[in-house]
Amino acid sequence: MNYIFLDELGNLTKLKYLNISRNEIDSLPDLLFEKLICLQTLNVEQNKLKTLPNMSKLACLISLKCGSNELNQFPNSLCEKIRELGGSPVPIFEGGTVHLSEFNASHNKIQTLPGIIERLVALKSLDLSFNQIETIPVQLANCAKLKELNLKHNPIKDRRLYKMIEQCAPKKVLDYLRTNLPTKNNTDNKGEDEELSDFRKKTDDQDKFTVRLQFNSEDKFVVLVSKLIADQRKIAACIIHQMDLSNGKMLKKFLAIQTSNG
Amino acid sequence: MTSSLANEQNQYDEWLKNKPREIILSPKTVSKECLVNSLNGPLFLVNSLNFLEITNFDILTKIDSKISQLNNLTNLVLEGNKLKSIPGT
């Protein structure tokens, strides 16, 4: 049986475009991508790959297509070497495959996505449909340029998120994830989490469909919902008791919070 | 080798001597026999090559390690063949 010497391809240091799709390749040499520093487009679709070699040195990579293989892990090497430069008011990232704009790994066996996917700051198109992903890391919402997102046909546990995904609503999906992003002020967030946890402990067995509006300070309005409501569709109507909206500022905030986050 | 195949081979070899920058090979453009002969050597002497495309050959499971000599290659397409991987050499 004859084979292509794939590791010899690793010496083609001027290569910008490599397409070895639609073959029967079941593995790639570990060091294949060590020297391909000019590579911009890589297509390994429709093979039998279970893993991908380290791609952290593909500094020029813009498009990666590895769909229709047998990958059982997200290729973390894409993100690991990307670092945020400090000292800038606007986040700037460098290293690794920071320029990756298009990534298609559909029709594989990927089960988890890492939170460090947020380092792929140039990502515009992401297709992970037809995998085995159960949860989506909220950090995906930090990929600010992401416009095309396909996560369909994954066993997503969050029913609300699952429906948004199946409805092909990338913006809604990212907005939903964004609402669950941890805030930078960890103390405040920790307080809210504890408050929500306490609230849910009291309500899960008693008033199953409960919404509480809590005004913590002049500038902070907190909405606490029981778990069952969080998993339901949007609330169509809600009767609020013991709420003093005579203060104009409070009324304004109350109306604003109804329209935030869709 | 039949005369038509010999003619095809000769034409192809002559073309390679002109040091083209692009070579596109598919079953529509070249016979399998010609492809095999080319991959046994002459192709990898074209070090001017920037673009090499060899697609849809079901007999293609091997390419000589001399492919690494094509050090000006910027685009390589080996789509739709019967290539498999091997351990590193």
Side-chain angles (χ1 to χ4, degrees):
Chain A
M1 182 154 313
N2 299 315
Y3 302 100
I4 186 172
F5 288 80
L6 286 170
D7 53 340
E8 296 292 340
L9 296 183
N11 292 322
L12 300 175
T13 55
K14 293 183 182 178
L15 213 57
K16 291 183 181 178
Y17 181 95
L18 175 60
N19 182 344
I20 50 175
S21 63
R22 293 196 304 114
N23 282 284
E24 296 177 358
I25 302 166
D26 56 15
S27 67
L28 296 174
D30 291 339
L31 302 179
L32 177 62
F33 301 128
E34 286 296 297
K35 298 180 191 173
L36 300 186
I37 55 174
C38 294
L39 198 65
Q40 295 177 4
T41 301
L42 173 61
N43 188 341
V44 297
E45 285 183 330
Q46 295 187 55
N47 279 288
K48 297 178 182 178
L49 297 169
K50 291 186 172 57
T51 59
L52 292 173
N54 190 319
M55 292 183 285
S56 62
K57 294 196 178 170
L58 298 179
C60 294
L61 194 67
I62 296 172
S63 172
L64 171 59
K65 294 182 179 179
C66 51
S68 299
N69 277 284
E70 297 171 15
L71 301 177
N72 49 32
Q73 272 189 332
F74 182 89
N76 288 348
S77 66
L78 289 174
C79 313
E80 284 166 346
K81 297 291 186 186
I82 300 174
R83 291 285 178 265
E84 182 175 356
L85 292 178
S88 169
V90 177
I92 298 175
F93 291 82
E94 68 166 9
T97 57
V98 70
H99 299 292
L100 188 66
S101 175
E102 178 189 17
F103 179 39
N104 186 324
S106 62
H107 294 90
N108 276 290
K109 298 178 182 178
I110 296 170
Q111 295 181 352
T112 57
L113 297 184
I116 56 172
I117 195 173
E118 64 179 344
R119 297 182 192 173
L120 295 175
V121 293
L123 204 59
K124 291 181 183 175
S125 173
L126 175 63
D127 189 344
L128 291 167
S129 59
F130 292 94
N131 274 283
Q132 297 170 8
I133 300 166
E134 293 184 351
T135 56
I136 307 297
V138 296
Q139 291 88 343
L140 182 63
N142 285 332
C143 295
K145 296 192 177 180
L146 201 53
K147 292 285 182 268
E148 297 170 9
L149 176 61
N150 188 352
L151 297 166
K152 292 173 79 171
H153 300 285
N154 279 286
I156 306 292
K157 282 185 175 174
D158 184 323
R159 296 300 301 170
R160 193 173 170 191
L161 183 59
Y162 177 84
K163 287 174 185 173
M164 287 181 196
I165 288 169
E166 295 300 312
Q167 288 164 7
C168 299
K171 188 177 183 305
K172 281 188 180 177
V173 170
L174 294 172
D175 286 344
Y176 179 79
L177 293 172
R178 203 167 282 122
T179 59
N180 291 312
L181 272 173
T183 59
K184 286 194 175 179
N185 189 335
N186 291 330
T187 307
D188 280 355
N189 195 48
K190 195 175 175 182
E192 284 180 18
D193 285 347
E194 282 178 2
E195 194 164 33
L196 181 62
S197 176
D198 286 343
F199 173 71
R200 289 210 171 149
K201 280 177 192 169
K202 289 174 188 170
T203 57
D204 276 352
D205 290 330
Q206 299 169 16
D207 300 321
K208 291 190 179 295
F209 296 95
T210 306
V211 177
R212 179 186 292 173
L213 293 175
Q214 216 157 280
F215 200 51
N216 284 342
S217 68
E218 193 109 12
D219 294 316
K220 211 155 194 181
F221 223 140
V222 177
V223 178
L224 304 173
V225 299
S226 61
K227 188 177 183 305
L228 280 174
I229 287 185
D231 292 338
Q232 297 293 324
R233 294 185 181 183
K234 291 181 184 175
I235 300 170
C238 189
I239 298 172
I240 300 173
H241 299 279
Q242 298 176 349
M243 185 89 189
D244 181 8
L245 297 175
S246 56
N247 181 326
K249 199 173 178 181
M250 276 191 65
L251 176 61
K252 202 173 174 182
K253 286 192 179 293
F254 175 69
L255 292 172
I257 204 170
Q258 292 179 67
T259 54
S260 66
N261 298 324
Chain B
M1 188 182 282
T2 63
S3 59
S4 61
L5 190 57
N7 283 338
E8 181 192 6
Q9 191 67 56
N10 287 335
Q11 284 179 5
Y12 181 69
D13 290 344
E14 283 301 312
W15 177 55
L16 288 183
K17 286 178 184 175
N18 291 327
K19 302 286 186 185
R21 290 190 182 274
E22 288 189 10
I23 293 179
I24 300 176
L25 303 175
S26 74
K28 293 180 182 177
T29 60
V30 71
S31 67
K32 293 177 183 179
E33 292 78 8
C34 192
L35 174 73
V36 170
N37 290 334
S38 175
L39 292 177
N40 283 333
L43 181 63
F44 304 116
L45 298 177
V46 186
N47 53 15
S48 60
L49 208 53
N50 298 135
F51 188 106
L52 175 61
E53 180 175 316
I54 306 174
T55 59
N56 298 314
F57 283 100
D58 56 9
I59 62 162
L60 183 61
T61 58
K62 176 184 180 181
I63 292 184
D64 197 284
S65 60
K66 291 177 185 173
I67 192 171
S68 62
Q69 294 176 355
L70 300 176
N71 49 21
N72 285 308
L73 213 55
T74 58
N75 290 53
L76 177 59
V77 181
L78 298 170
E79 179 182 351
N81 299 297
K82 290 290 184 184
L83 306 174
K84 299 197 179 194
S85 67
I86 58 167
T89 57

